[in-house]
Amino acid sequence: MAGSSKGWIAPVAIILILLGIGIFWFVGQQNTIITLEESVDSAWSEIDNQLQRRSDLIPNLVATVRGFASQEEEIFTQIADARARLAGAQTVGETAESYGEVQSALSRLLVVVENYPQLQSNENFIRLQDELAGTENRIAVARQRYNTTVQQFNTRIRLFPTRIVANRLGLEQREYFEIEESARSVPTVDFGSDD
Amino acid sequence: MMRTTTQRLLLAIIGLSLLLPGVLVAQQLPSAQGYVNDFAGVIPSDDEAAMRGIMSAVKEQTGAEMAVVTVDSMAPYPTIEDFGIALADEWGVGSAGGDDGVILIVAIQERQVRIEVGYGLEGAIPDGRAGGILDDYVLPDLRNNNYGAGLLNGVAAIAEIVADEYGVTLTGVQAEPRGASARSDGPDLGDIVYVIFFLIFVGGRWFFWPLLFAGRRRGFYGGGFGSSGGGSPTRFSGFGGGGFGGGGASRGF
């Protein structure tokens, strides 16, 4: 009796220890993944902040340009439309797309502005242009940081064995904030001989 | 669809390496030498000493950290903004909690200059103001290849703003606007400021110092570095780890 009872204590103990280790690992991974997801969210909110900041700058910029170039109504409308679409964007993909639209509308504006030397030497306009360029650069930085975080997160939740934990938490891959490279450089835009 | 774990790992590595260029080029960044990092060798040693004096004073009195960087070329970075943020991230100029760092960067070959502003100073130096500093204080001299004078004037202008933000006054620091409209025909104030600065901080350190700061000499240079004029910094313990988000302004010259 005593001999046979000792026989099953050892395997049970081993199973319990393994189970303990397993739970320990699982909880650890779960915490890491949740922390990573939080950093994806906070990286995104930085992009969001900067996009908002840019949207807030646009009315000032447009008002200043309008004071010198009131006949360029078409471009003002394009900017307003793109800005409205950006405000209504729901997903990362939609945001990235309308971000690009605002950016190309703004670069067209800056090309148009070259026909107005008075505007270009206007103190207020120079300041606004600096603010716009700075904000664009902040968006670029925030975007790069966001994508790096998303890449870490996605890798972790897709790789075995951590994907088991991710599946259990019901986590899905996050979307990269991808934009066309051509849309990146606002200040140095060059449309060549295009009319 | 039946990928093995090894294949997944391989995919992940490939995916990782595609996103890695930023990290890889970061390794090519020079390491910080001190407040003045004249890698291009374009700053005269007296200007460098004066800049160091200003920046040590700023650090001492406000906690904010400033740095000046000149490079021959910003390659392989495509823009001065990319170079600036990579350098800022790598060096961590400014204190870790306050993110109060400012870097003045010049790429000689590309003829680009940038002020990179840490998170904590974005309120004191908004992008528009950073652009204004470049236009009024830095560019006129840079266009004439007077790198030392332009950067010193820029450092002084930034130092004044930072000091103002922290409610302190920096002794002997006075930046002079040098835009076309601000240029006067009289004696060059910048030279006078510089001479005074040189006397106070470098040449006449042992002579003037006790007179001016009789009661409070202790600690001004204490714990600092590179306060010896002209010579190489004795030791540099690194910057505080301040964060940057891409704020600031850039100009070609």
Side-chain angles (χ1 to χ4, degrees), chain B residues 35-250:
Chain B
Y35 292 144
V36 180
N37 303 269
D38 186 19
F39 299 119
V42 292
I43 305 176
S45 58
D46 44 4
D47 286 337
E48 183 172 337
M51 284 181 218
R52 256 190 240 141
I54 297 175
M55 292 189 277
S56 323
V58 168
K59 166 75 173 167
E60 188 70 29
Q61 297 188 25
T62 70
E65 288 181 334
M66 294 172 62
V68 172
V69 183
T70 70
V71 289
D72 276 328
S73 167
M74 62 199 185
Y77 295 91
T79 66
I80 189 96
E81 289 84 10
D82 289 316
F83 179 61
I85 192 68
L87 201 69
D89 278 345
E90 177 77 9
W91 288 9
V93 181
S95 62
D99 299 327
D100 44 1
V102 184
I103 315 178
L104 188 51
I105 306 164
V106 182
I108 306 295
Q109 274 178 33
E110 290 86 359
R111 299 192 79 75
Q112 296 280 316
V113 57
R114 173 165 179 81
I115 296 178
E116 192 79 43
V117 181
Y119 283 122
L121 288 171
E122 285 185 359
I125 312 173
D127 306 333
R129 200 163 185 191
I133 293 170
L134 291 176
D135 288 335
D136 297 340
Y137 295 89
V138 183
L139 287 183
D141 282 318
L142 253 53
R143 289 200 181 105
N144 299 324
N145 293 332
N146 291 329
Y147 295 103
L151 293 174
L152 175 57
N153 206 27
V155 164
I158 296 167
E160 280 182 346
I161 294 172
V162 173
D164 199 44
E165 171 78 0
Y166 287 86
V168 300
T169 312
L170 297 169
T171 316
V173 177
Q174 196 180 356
E176 179 212 8
R178 298 189 197 192
S181 55
R183 176 63 87 182
S184 72
D185 290 322
D188 194 339
L189 189 63
D191 284 348
I192 299 169
V193 168
Y194 156 68
V195 168
I196 292 169
F197 218 96
F198 189 81
L199 284 174
I200 293 173
F201 281 93
V202 192
R205 186 173 152 196
W206 303 113
F207 177 67
F208 269 84
W209 210 239
L211 296 177
L212 286 170
F213 292 92
R216 37 169 299 203
R217 317 180 29 177
R218 189 184 59 83
F220 197 87
Y221 275 117
F225 52 81
S227 53
S228 57
S232 57
T234 45
R235 67 205 136 84
F236 180 61
S237 49
F239 292 104
F244 288 78
S250 318

Side-chain angles (χ1 to χ4, degrees), chain A residues 25-38 153 156-157 161-174:
Chain A
W25 174 84
F26 191 92
V27 171
Q29 286 303 325
Q30 187 168 314
N31 288 345
T32 311
I33 289 172
I34 289 170
T35 310
L36 259 179
E37 196 189 27
E38 284 297 321
F153 176 78
R156 189 165 281 253
I157 70 167
T162 39
R163 66 178 299 159
I164 302 169
V165 183
N167 283 343
R168 177 111 173 73
L169 290 170
L171 296 176
E172 285 177 6
Q173 285 188 62
R174 293 305 193 89

Side-chain angles (χ1 to χ4, degrees), chain A residues 46 53 123 126-127 130-135 137-138 141-142 144-145 147 151 155 158-160 163 176 184, chain B residues 3 8-9 12 16 19 81-82 85 89 114 119 122 126-128 131-132 135 244-249 251:
Chain A
E46 179 59 22
R53 181 193 171 119
E123 193 72 29
I126 295 171
R127 201 178 55 75
D130 276 329
E131 294 287 344
L132 182 66
T135 306
N137 191 44
R138 284 191 189 86
V141 170
Q144 201 177 353
R145 287 178 182 166
N147 283 347
Q151 184 258 328
T155 307
R158 283 176 69 191
L159 282 182
F160 185 84
R163 66 178 299 159
Y176 289 101
R184 247 202 81 174
Chain B
R3 289 186 194 139
R8 284 205 187 91
L9 202 67
L16 210 72
L19 285 150
E81 289 84 10
D82 289 316
I85 192 68
D89 278 345
R114 173 165 179 81
Y119 283 122
E122 285 185 359
D127 306 333
D135 288 335
F244 288 78
R251 290 285 188 274

Side-chain angles (χ1 to χ4, degrees), chain A residues 39-40 42-51 134-150 177, chain B residues 85 119 244-246:
Chain A
S39 37
V40 170
S42 83
W44 175 256
S45 68
E46 179 59 22
I47 295 183
D48 218 33
N49 282 344
Q50 297 305 335
L51 288 175
T135 306
E136 293 291 357
N137 191 44
R138 284 191 189 86
I139 295 171
V141 170
R143 177 182 149 261
Q144 201 177 353
R145 287 178 182 166
Y146 168 80
N147 283 347
T148 309
T149 324
V150 166
F177 190 86
Chain B
I85 192 68
Y119 283 122
F244 288 78

